[in-house]
mmCIF file of all heavy atoms in Angstrom:
data_model
loop_
_atom_site.group_PDB
_atom_site.id
_atom_site.type_symbol
_atom_site.label_atom_id
_atom_site.label_comp_id
_atom_site.label_asym_id
_atom_site.label_seq_id
_atom_site.Cartn_x
_atom_site.Cartn_y
_atom_site.Cartn_z
ATOM 1 N N TRP A 101 -42.652 -13.134 48.187
ATOM 2 C CA TRP A 101 -41.186 -13.187 48.117
ATOM 3 C C TRP A 101 -40.616 -11.920 48.703
ATOM 4 O O TRP A 101 -41.173 -10.859 48.471
ATOM 5 C CB TRP A 101 -40.757 -13.354 46.659
ATOM 6 C CG TRP A 101 -39.293 -13.602 46.525
ATOM 7 C CD1 TRP A 101 -38.348 -12.669 46.259
ATOM 8 C CD2 TRP A 101 -38.614 -14.834 46.679
ATOM 9 N NE1 TRP A 101 -37.121 -13.256 46.225
ATOM 10 C CE2 TRP A 101 -37.250 -14.590 46.489
ATOM 11 C CE3 TRP A 101 -39.017 -16.128 46.971
ATOM 12 C CZ2 TRP A 101 -36.291 -15.577 46.565
ATOM 13 C CZ3 TRP A 101 -38.058 -17.105 47.044
ATOM 14 C CH2 TRP A 101 -36.714 -16.834 46.843
ATOM 15 N N PRO A 102 -39.561 -11.941 49.448
ATOM 16 C CA PRO A 102 -38.746 -13.101 49.782
ATOM 17 C C PRO A 102 -39.406 -13.951 50.866
ATOM 18 O O PRO A 102 -39.996 -13.434 51.807
ATOM 19 C CB PRO A 102 -37.435 -12.502 50.276
ATOM 20 C CG PRO A 102 -37.786 -11.150 50.790
ATOM 21 C CD PRO A 102 -38.961 -10.685 49.975
ATOM 22 N N TRP A 103 -39.294 -15.248 50.682
ATOM 23 C CA TRP A 103 -39.876 -16.173 51.645
ATOM 24 C C TRP A 103 -39.086 -16.155 52.941
ATOM 25 O O TRP A 103 -37.889 -15.870 52.949
ATOM 26 C CB TRP A 103 -39.852 -17.593 51.091
ATOM 27 C CG TRP A 103 -40.820 -17.833 49.982
ATOM 28 C CD1 TRP A 103 -41.958 -17.144 49.716
ATOM 29 C CD2 TRP A 103 -40.711 -18.834 48.989
ATOM 30 N NE1 TRP A 103 -42.580 -17.662 48.625
ATOM 31 C CE2 TRP A 103 -41.840 -18.711 48.146
ATOM 32 C CE3 TRP A 103 -39.798 -19.831 48.724
ATOM 33 C CZ2 TRP A 103 -42.058 -19.549 47.062
ATOM 34 C CZ3 TRP A 103 -40.013 -20.668 47.645
ATOM 35 C CH2 TRP A 103 -41.133 -20.527 46.828
ATOM 36 N N PRO A 104 -39.745 -16.513 54.058
ATOM 37 C CA PRO A 104 -39.000 -16.666 55.308
ATOM 38 C C PRO A 104 -37.928 -17.744 55.128
ATOM 39 O O PRO A 104 -38.119 -18.704 54.382
ATOM 40 C CB PRO A 104 -40.056 -17.134 56.315
ATOM 41 C CG PRO A 104 -41.373 -16.850 55.691
ATOM 42 C CD PRO A 104 -41.163 -16.810 54.212
ATOM 43 N N ARG A 105 -36.824 -17.587 55.781
ATOM 44 C CA ARG A 105 -35.707 -18.529 55.625
ATOM 45 C C ARG A 105 -36.092 -19.946 56.042
ATOM 46 O O ARG A 105 -35.519 -20.916 55.553
ATOM 47 C CB ARG A 105 -34.512 -18.062 56.442
ATOM 48 C CG ARG A 105 -34.120 -16.618 56.200
ATOM 49 C CD ARG A 105 -33.172 -16.460 55.042
ATOM 50 N NE ARG A 105 -33.085 -15.095 54.568
ATOM 51 C CZ ARG A 105 -32.366 -14.134 55.093
ATOM 52 N NH1 ARG A 105 -31.662 -14.352 56.174
ATOM 53 N NH2 ARG A 105 -32.337 -12.935 54.550
ATOM 54 N N ILE A 106 -37.074 -20.081 56.900
ATOM 55 C CA ILE A 106 -37.494 -21.416 57.334
ATOM 56 C C ILE A 106 -38.015 -22.236 56.150
ATOM 57 O O ILE A 106 -37.863 -23.461 56.116
ATOM 58 C CB ILE A 106 -38.542 -21.352 58.482
ATOM 59 C CG1 ILE A 106 -38.789 -22.744 59.077
ATOM 60 C CG2 ILE A 106 -39.833 -20.756 57.998
ATOM 61 C CD1 ILE A 106 -37.601 -23.365 59.735
ATOM 62 N N ILE A 107 -38.587 -21.576 55.162
ATOM 63 C CA ILE A 107 -39.064 -22.284 53.959
ATOM 64 C C ILE A 107 -37.874 -22.930 53.258
ATOM 65 O O ILE A 107 -37.922 -24.094 52.850
ATOM 66 C CB ILE A 107 -39.813 -21.327 53.012
ATOM 67 C CG1 ILE A 107 -41.042 -20.728 53.701
ATOM 68 C CG2 ILE A 107 -40.179 -22.015 51.701
ATOM 69 C CD1 ILE A 107 -42.116 -21.724 54.063
ATOM 70 N N HIS A 108 -36.769 -22.187 53.124
ATOM 71 C CA HIS A 108 -35.559 -22.736 52.506
ATOM 72 C C HIS A 108 -34.978 -23.840 53.396
ATOM 73 O O HIS A 108 -34.467 -24.846 52.899
ATOM 74 C CB HIS A 108 -34.522 -21.639 52.265
ATOM 75 C CG HIS A 108 -35.040 -20.519 51.424
ATOM 76 N ND1 HIS A 108 -35.365 -20.673 50.098
ATOM 77 C CD2 HIS A 108 -35.290 -19.220 51.722
ATOM 78 C CE1 HIS A 108 -35.792 -19.519 49.614
ATOM 79 N NE2 HIS A 108 -35.763 -18.627 50.595
ATOM 80 N N GLY A 109 -35.082 -23.658 54.707
ATOM 81 C CA GLY A 109 -34.621 -24.677 55.641
ATOM 82 C C GLY A 109 -35.410 -25.966 55.498
ATOM 83 O O GLY A 109 -34.846 -27.065 55.521
ATOM 84 N N GLU A 110 -36.730 -25.842 55.343
ATOM 85 C CA GLU A 110 -37.560 -27.029 55.150
ATOM 86 C C GLU A 110 -37.215 -27.730 53.841
ATOM 87 O O GLU A 110 -37.232 -28.966 53.764
ATOM 88 C CB GLU A 110 -39.036 -26.651 55.183
ATOM 89 C CG GLU A 110 -39.516 -26.259 56.566
ATOM 90 C CD GLU A 110 -40.941 -25.728 56.570
ATOM 91 O OE1 GLU A 110 -41.601 -25.712 55.502
ATOM 92 O OE2 GLU A 110 -41.403 -25.329 57.656
ATOM 93 N N LEU A 111 -36.877 -26.955 52.826
ATOM 94 C CA LEU A 111 -36.450 -27.534 51.556
ATOM 95 C C LEU A 111 -35.170 -28.350 51.756
ATOM 96 O O LEU A 111 -35.073 -29.496 51.304
ATOM 97 C CB LEU A 111 -36.218 -26.441 50.512
ATOM 98 C CG LEU A 111 -35.649 -26.896 49.170
ATOM 99 C CD1 LEU A 111 -36.603 -27.848 48.468
ATOM 100 C CD2 LEU A 111 -35.337 -25.694 48.294
ATOM 101 N N ILE A 112 -34.207 -27.795 52.480
ATOM 102 C CA ILE A 112 -32.964 -28.511 52.774
ATOM 103 C C ILE A 112 -33.272 -29.782 53.555
ATOM 104 O O ILE A 112 -32.749 -30.865 53.252
ATOM 105 C CB ILE A 112 -31.987 -27.625 53.568
ATOM 106 C CG1 ILE A 112 -31.475 -26.491 52.697
ATOM 107 C CG2 ILE A 112 -30.826 -28.441 54.116
ATOM 108 C CD1 ILE A 112 -30.676 -25.442 53.457
ATOM 109 N N ASP A 113 -34.130 -29.665 54.545
ATOM 110 C CA ASP A 113 -34.497 -30.806 55.379
ATOM 111 C C ASP A 113 -35.122 -31.923 54.542
ATOM 112 O O ASP A 113 -34.800 -33.101 54.708
ATOM 113 C CB ASP A 113 -35.464 -30.339 56.464
ATOM 114 C CG ASP A 113 -35.298 -31.080 57.763
ATOM 115 O OD1 ASP A 113 -34.209 -31.655 57.986
ATOM 116 O OD2 ASP A 113 -36.253 -31.080 58.557
ATOM 117 N N ASN A 114 -36.012 -31.566 53.641
ATOM 118 C CA ASN A 114 -36.666 -32.573 52.793
ATOM 119 C C ASN A 114 -35.697 -33.164 51.767
ATOM 120 O O ASN A 114 -35.761 -34.362 51.476
ATOM 121 C CB ASN A 114 -37.880 -31.982 52.093
ATOM 122 C CG ASN A 114 -39.037 -31.771 53.035
ATOM 123 O OD1 ASN A 114 -39.343 -32.633 53.843
ATOM 124 N ND2 ASN A 114 -39.671 -30.618 52.956
ATOM 125 N N LEU A 115 -34.806 -32.349 51.224
ATOM 126 C CA LEU A 115 -33.831 -32.864 50.261
ATOM 127 C C LEU A 115 -32.793 -33.767 50.926
ATOM 128 O O LEU A 115 -32.245 -34.665 50.286
ATOM 129 C CB LEU A 115 -33.116 -31.701 49.553
ATOM 130 C CG LEU A 115 -33.958 -30.891 48.565
ATOM 131 C CD1 LEU A 115 -33.167 -29.691 48.061
ATOM 132 C CD2 LEU A 115 -34.419 -31.755 47.405
ATOM 133 N N ALA A 116 -32.537 -33.553 52.205
ATOM 134 C CA ALA A 116 -31.535 -34.344 52.931
ATOM 135 C C ALA A 116 -31.880 -35.827 52.941
ATOM 136 O O ALA A 116 -30.987 -36.676 53.021
ATOM 137 C CB ALA A 116 -31.387 -33.822 54.356
ATOM 138 N N ARG A 117 -33.161 -36.153 52.833
ATOM 139 C CA ARG A 117 -33.570 -37.562 52.807
ATOM 140 C C ARG A 117 -32.972 -38.304 51.609
ATOM 141 O O ARG A 117 -32.803 -39.511 51.631
ATOM 142 C CB ARG A 117 -35.097 -37.675 52.750
ATOM 143 C CG ARG A 117 -35.752 -37.241 54.039
ATOM 144 C CD ARG A 117 -37.230 -37.458 53.978
ATOM 145 N NE ARG A 117 -37.816 -36.393 53.165
ATOM 146 C CZ ARG A 117 -39.007 -36.460 52.592
ATOM 147 N NH1 ARG A 117 -39.738 -37.533 52.716
ATOM 148 N NH2 ARG A 117 -39.472 -35.452 51.902
ATOM 149 N N PHE A 118 -32.647 -37.561 50.549
ATOM 150 C CA PHE A 118 -32.085 -38.169 49.340
ATOM 151 C C PHE A 118 -30.556 -38.238 49.379
ATOM 152 O O PHE A 118 -29.934 -38.645 48.423
ATOM 153 C CB PHE A 118 -32.550 -37.407 48.102
ATOM 154 C CG PHE A 118 -34.036 -37.431 47.929
ATOM 155 C CD1 PHE A 118 -34.814 -36.338 48.301
ATOM 156 C CD2 PHE A 118 -34.662 -38.558 47.423
ATOM 157 C CE1 PHE A 118 -36.192 -36.367 48.154
ATOM 158 C CE2 PHE A 118 -36.044 -38.597 47.269
ATOM 159 C CZ PHE A 118 -36.807 -37.498 47.639
ATOM 160 N N ARG A 119 -29.958 -37.801 50.487
ATOM 161 C CA ARG A 119 -28.519 -37.807 50.706
ATOM 162 C C ARG A 119 -27.740 -37.126 49.581
ATOM 163 O O ARG A 119 -26.856 -37.721 48.964
ATOM 164 C CB ARG A 119 -28.012 -39.220 50.920
ATOM 165 C CG ARG A 119 -28.647 -39.924 52.107
ATOM 166 C CD ARG A 119 -28.155 -41.320 52.173
ATOM 167 N NE ARG A 119 -27.820 -41.947 53.398
ATOM 168 C CZ ARG A 119 -27.338 -41.447 54.520
ATOM 169 N NH1 ARG A 119 -27.125 -40.203 54.637
ATOM 170 N NH2 ARG A 119 -27.059 -42.202 55.564
ATOM 171 N N PRO A 120 -28.048 -35.864 49.298
ATOM 172 C CA PRO A 120 -27.316 -35.175 48.226
ATOM 173 C C PRO A 120 -25.867 -34.901 48.633
ATOM 174 O O PRO A 120 -25.557 -34.746 49.812
ATOM 175 C CB PRO A 120 -28.084 -33.863 48.077
ATOM 176 C CG PRO A 120 -28.670 -33.624 49.424
ATOM 177 C CD PRO A 120 -28.992 -34.993 49.966
ATOM 178 N N SER A 121 -24.989 -34.857 47.647
ATOM 179 C CA SER A 121 -23.590 -34.496 47.905
ATOM 180 C C SER A 121 -23.479 -33.015 48.237
ATOM 181 O O SER A 121 -22.606 -32.604 48.995
ATOM 182 C CB SER A 121 -22.735 -34.788 46.675
ATOM 183 O OG SER A 121 -22.778 -36.160 46.372
ATOM 184 N N ALA A 122 -24.358 -32.222 47.651
ATOM 185 C CA ALA A 122 -24.329 -30.774 47.896
ATOM 186 C C ALA A 122 -25.703 -30.190 47.613
ATOM 187 O O ALA A 122 -26.463 -30.720 46.808
ATOM 188 C CB ALA A 122 -23.296 -30.111 47.004
ATOM 189 N N ILE A 123 -25.983 -29.096 48.284
ATOM 190 C CA ILE A 123 -27.178 -28.294 48.013
ATOM 191 C C ILE A 123 -26.687 -26.862 47.884
ATOM 192 O O ILE A 123 -26.000 -26.352 48.763
ATOM 193 C CB ILE A 123 -28.219 -28.392 49.142
ATOM 194 C CG1 ILE A 123 -28.709 -29.829 49.304
ATOM 195 C CG2 ILE A 123 -29.394 -27.450 48.871
ATOM 196 C CD1 ILE A 123 -29.639 -30.039 50.498
ATOM 197 N N ALA A 124 -27.019 -26.226 46.779
ATOM 198 C CA ALA A 124 -26.572 -24.852 46.550
ATOM 199 C C ALA A 124 -27.781 -23.954 46.306
ATOM 200 O O ALA A 124 -28.772 -24.378 45.722
ATOM 201 C CB ALA A 124 -25.639 -24.798 45.341
ATOM 202 N N PHE A 125 -27.686 -22.731 46.782
ATOM 203 C CA PHE A 125 -28.732 -21.732 46.569
ATOM 204 C C PHE A 125 -28.166 -20.621 45.704
ATOM 205 O O PHE A 125 -27.050 -20.162 45.944
ATOM 206 C CB PHE A 125 -29.182 -21.127 47.913
ATOM 207 C CG PHE A 125 -30.097 -22.010 48.708
ATOM 208 C CD1 PHE A 125 -29.585 -23.001 49.524
ATOM 209 C CD2 PHE A 125 -31.469 -21.838 48.643
ATOM 210 C CE1 PHE A 125 -30.412 -23.816 50.264
ATOM 211 C CE2 PHE A 125 -32.312 -22.652 49.376
ATOM 212 C CZ PHE A 125 -31.786 -23.637 50.191
ATOM 213 N N ASP A 126 -28.929 -20.196 44.721
ATOM 214 C CA ASP A 126 -28.531 -19.072 43.882
ATOM 215 C C ASP A 126 -29.394 -17.862 44.241
ATOM 216 O O ASP A 126 -30.055 -17.272 43.400
ATOM 217 C CB ASP A 126 -28.671 -19.431 42.409
ATOM 218 C CG ASP A 126 -28.093 -18.368 41.489
ATOM 219 O OD1 ASP A 126 -27.293 -17.544 41.969
ATOM 220 O OD2 ASP A 126 -28.447 -18.351 40.293
ATOM 221 N N ILE A 127 -29.438 -17.554 45.524
ATOM 222 C CA ILE A 127 -30.148 -16.380 46.018
ATOM 223 C C ILE A 127 -29.279 -15.725 47.085
ATOM 224 O O ILE A 127 -28.407 -16.368 47.660
ATOM 225 C CB ILE A 127 -31.542 -16.723 46.610
ATOM 226 C CG1 ILE A 127 -31.413 -17.744 47.746
ATOM 227 C CG2 ILE A 127 -32.483 -17.196 45.540
ATOM 228 C CD1 ILE A 127 -32.721 -18.034 48.449
ATOM 229 N N HIS A 128 -29.509 -14.471 47.304
ATOM 230 C CA HIS A 128 -28.752 -13.746 48.323
ATOM 231 C C HIS A 128 -29.496 -13.802 49.656
ATOM 232 O O HIS A 128 -30.661 -13.444 49.736
ATOM 233 C CB HIS A 128 -28.558 -12.269 47.932
ATOM 234 C CG HIS A 128 -27.651 -12.102 46.770
ATOM 235 N ND1 HIS A 128 -26.292 -12.065 46.908
ATOM 236 C CD2 HIS A 128 -27.893 -11.968 45.456
ATOM 237 C CE1 HIS A 128 -25.732 -11.909 45.732
ATOM 238 N NE2 HIS A 128 -26.692 -11.851 44.834
ATOM 239 N N LEU A 129 -28.806 -14.270 50.665
ATOM 240 C CA LEU A 129 -29.331 -14.256 52.033
ATOM 241 C C LEU A 129 -28.329 -13.474 52.881
ATOM 242 O O LEU A 129 -27.905 -13.917 53.932
ATOM 243 C CB LEU A 129 -29.494 -15.682 52.558
ATOM 244 C CG LEU A 129 -30.427 -16.593 51.770
ATOM 245 C CD1 LEU A 129 -30.366 -18.016 52.287
ATOM 246 C CD2 LEU A 129 -31.853 -16.073 51.806
ATOM 247 N N ASN A 130 -27.947 -12.308 52.377
ATOM 248 C CA ASN A 130 -26.848 -11.567 53.001
ATOM 249 C C ASN A 130 -27.271 -10.600 54.101
ATOM 250 O O ASN A 130 -26.420 -10.023 54.756
ATOM 251 C CB ASN A 130 -26.042 -10.825 51.933
ATOM 252 C CG ASN A 130 -26.901 -9.936 51.070
ATOM 253 O OD1 ASN A 130 -28.105 -10.073 51.036
ATOM 254 N ND2 ASN A 130 -26.269 -9.038 50.351
ATOM 255 N N GLU A 131 -28.545 -10.430 54.310
ATOM 256 C CA GLU A 131 -29.012 -9.558 55.389
ATOM 257 C C GLU A 131 -29.935 -10.351 56.300
ATOM 258 O O GLU A 131 -30.674 -11.218 55.844
ATOM 259 C CB GLU A 131 -29.763 -8.354 54.824
ATOM 260 C CG GLU A 131 -28.879 -7.427 54.027
ATOM 261 C CD GLU A 131 -29.671 -6.232 53.490
ATOM 262 O OE1 GLU A 131 -30.827 -6.036 53.905
ATOM 263 O OE2 GLU A 131 -29.113 -5.521 52.657
ATOM 264 N N PRO A 132 -29.891 -10.058 57.575
ATOM 265 C CA PRO A 132 -30.799 -10.771 58.483
ATOM 266 C C PRO A 132 -32.260 -10.444 58.180
ATOM 267 O O PRO A 132 -32.574 -9.379 57.659
ATOM 268 C CB PRO A 132 -30.415 -10.257 59.866
ATOM 269 C CG PRO A 132 -29.378 -9.229 59.696
ATOM 270 C CD PRO A 132 -29.049 -9.099 58.246
ATOM 271 N N ASP A 133 -33.121 -11.378 58.479
ATOM 272 C CA ASP A 133 -34.555 -11.160 58.334
ATOM 273 C C ASP A 133 -35.032 -10.447 59.604
ATOM 274 O O ASP A 133 -35.277 -11.077 60.624
ATOM 275 C CB ASP A 133 -35.276 -12.499 58.148
ATOM 276 C CG ASP A 133 -36.733 -12.323 57.791
ATOM 277 O OD1 ASP A 133 -37.286 -11.233 58.044
ATOM 278 O OD2 ASP A 133 -37.325 -13.282 57.266
ATOM 279 N N TYR A 134 -35.129 -9.139 59.535
ATOM 280 C CA TYR A 134 -35.489 -8.335 60.704
ATOM 281 C C TYR A 134 -36.928 -8.574 61.145
ATOM 282 O O TYR A 134 -37.263 -8.388 62.304
ATOM 283 C CB TYR A 134 -35.273 -6.846 60.418
ATOM 284 C CG TYR A 134 -33.824 -6.509 60.185
ATOM 285 C CD1 TYR A 134 -33.369 -6.147 58.935
ATOM 286 C CD2 TYR A 134 -32.901 -6.570 61.233
ATOM 287 C CE1 TYR A 134 -32.034 -5.851 58.718
ATOM 288 C CE2 TYR A 134 -31.573 -6.273 61.031
ATOM 289 C CZ TYR A 134 -31.144 -5.912 59.771
ATOM 290 O OH TYR A 134 -29.819 -5.623 59.561
ATOM 291 N N PHE A 135 -37.787 -8.998 60.214
ATOM 292 C CA PHE A 135 -39.193 -9.211 60.544
ATOM 293 C C PHE A 135 -39.439 -10.594 61.152
ATOM 294 O O PHE A 135 -40.396 -10.794 61.864
ATOM 295 C CB PHE A 135 -40.068 -9.031 59.297
ATOM 296 C CG PHE A 135 -39.949 -7.658 58.703
ATOM 297 C CD1 PHE A 135 -39.253 -7.464 57.516
ATOM 298 C CD2 PHE A 135 -40.492 -6.551 59.329
ATOM 299 C CE1 PHE A 135 -39.124 -6.209 56.966
ATOM 300 C CE2 PHE A 135 -40.370 -5.289 58.787
ATOM 301 C CZ PHE A 135 -39.685 -5.116 57.613
ATOM 302 N N ARG A 136 -38.560 -11.560 60.825
ATOM 303 C CA ARG A 136 -38.732 -12.933 61.319
ATOM 304 C C ARG A 136 -37.383 -13.487 61.769
ATOM 305 O O ARG A 136 -36.855 -14.409 61.150
ATOM 306 C CB ARG A 136 -39.311 -13.802 60.210
ATOM 307 C CG ARG A 136 -40.662 -13.330 59.704
ATOM 308 C CD ARG A 136 -41.032 -14.052 58.433
ATOM 309 N NE ARG A 136 -40.175 -13.648 57.339
ATOM 310 C CZ ARG A 136 -40.606 -13.170 56.171
ATOM 311 N NH1 ARG A 136 -41.871 -13.054 55.934
ATOM 312 N NH2 ARG A 136 -39.760 -12.829 55.224
ATOM 313 N N PRO A 137 -36.798 -12.949 62.828
ATOM 314 C CA PRO A 137 -35.481 -13.427 63.265
ATOM 315 C C PRO A 137 -35.481 -14.904 63.667
ATOM 316 O O PRO A 137 -34.471 -15.587 63.515
ATOM 317 C CB PRO A 137 -35.119 -12.535 64.445
ATOM 318 C CG PRO A 137 -36.379 -11.850 64.833
ATOM 319 C CD PRO A 137 -37.305 -11.878 63.666
ATOM 320 N N ASP A 138 -36.614 -15.417 64.155
ATOM 321 C CA ASP A 138 -36.687 -16.832 64.505
ATOM 322 C C ASP A 138 -36.547 -17.718 63.265
ATOM 323 O O ASP A 138 -36.024 -18.826 63.323
ATOM 324 C CB ASP A 138 -37.986 -17.144 65.253
ATOM 325 C CG ASP A 138 -39.219 -16.722 64.470
ATOM 326 O OD1 ASP A 138 -39.152 -15.707 63.745
ATOM 327 O OD2 ASP A 138 -40.254 -17.397 64.591
ATOM 328 N N SER A 139 -36.989 -17.214 62.120
ATOM 329 C CA SER A 139 -36.856 -17.941 60.865
ATOM 330 C C SER A 139 -35.386 -18.048 60.455
ATOM 331 O O SER A 139 -34.940 -19.093 59.978
ATOM 332 C CB SER A 139 -37.658 -17.236 59.770
ATOM 333 O OG SER A 139 -37.613 -17.966 58.573
ATOM 334 N N ASP A 140 -34.625 -16.972 60.665
ATOM 335 C CA ASP A 140 -33.183 -17.002 60.403
ATOM 336 C C ASP A 140 -32.496 -18.050 61.255
ATOM 337 O O ASP A 140 -31.665 -18.820 60.765
ATOM 338 C CB ASP A 140 -32.549 -15.630 60.698
ATOM 339 C CG ASP A 140 -32.517 -14.726 59.500
ATOM 340 O OD1 ASP A 140 -32.812 -15.193 58.386
ATOM 341 O OD2 ASP A 140 -32.175 -13.543 59.682
ATOM 342 N N LEU A 141 -32.859 -18.085 62.522
ATOM 343 C CA LEU A 141 -32.237 -19.037 63.452
ATOM 344 C C LEU A 141 -32.573 -20.473 63.044
ATOM 345 O O LEU A 141 -31.684 -21.341 63.035
ATOM 346 C CB LEU A 141 -32.709 -18.752 64.893
ATOM 347 C CG LEU A 141 -32.093 -19.613 65.969
ATOM 348 C CD1 LEU A 141 -30.578 -19.438 66.006
ATOM 349 C CD2 LEU A 141 -32.688 -19.251 67.320
ATOM 350 N N ALA A 142 -33.810 -20.732 62.683
ATOM 351 C CA ALA A 142 -34.203 -22.077 62.268
ATOM 352 C C ALA A 142 -33.467 -22.486 60.993
ATOM 353 O O ALA A 142 -32.985 -23.625 60.885
ATOM 354 C CB ALA A 142 -35.712 -22.136 62.054
ATOM 355 N N PHE A 143 -33.345 -21.578 60.051
ATOM 356 C CA PHE A 143 -32.611 -21.877 58.805
ATOM 357 C C PHE A 143 -31.154 -22.195 59.112
ATOM 358 O O PHE A 143 -30.591 -23.150 58.583
ATOM 359 C CB PHE A 143 -32.712 -20.693 57.842
ATOM 360 C CG PHE A 143 -31.938 -20.892 56.576
ATOM 361 C CD1 PHE A 143 -32.387 -21.756 55.596
ATOM 362 C CD2 PHE A 143 -30.756 -20.198 56.349
ATOM 363 C CE1 PHE A 143 -31.676 -21.949 54.426
ATOM 364 C CE2 PHE A 143 -30.039 -20.378 55.186
ATOM 365 C CZ PHE A 143 -30.503 -21.259 54.214
#
Side-chain angles (χ1 to χ4, degrees):
W101 188 264
W103 289 337
R105 309 273 164 81
I106 190 63
I107 299 295
H108 303 293
E110 289 173 3
L111 175 62
I112 291 171
D113 214 21
N114 287 316
L115 290 174
R117 290 184 283 160
F118 298 101
R119 301 176 139 329
S121 299
I123 298 174
F125 283 84
D126 188 18
I127 57 175
H128 291 276
L129 300 173
N130 54 343
E131 294 180 11
D133 188 340
Y134 295 110
F135 300 107
R136 300 168 291 235
D138 56 327
S139 184
D140 269 350
L141 183 60
F143 177 74

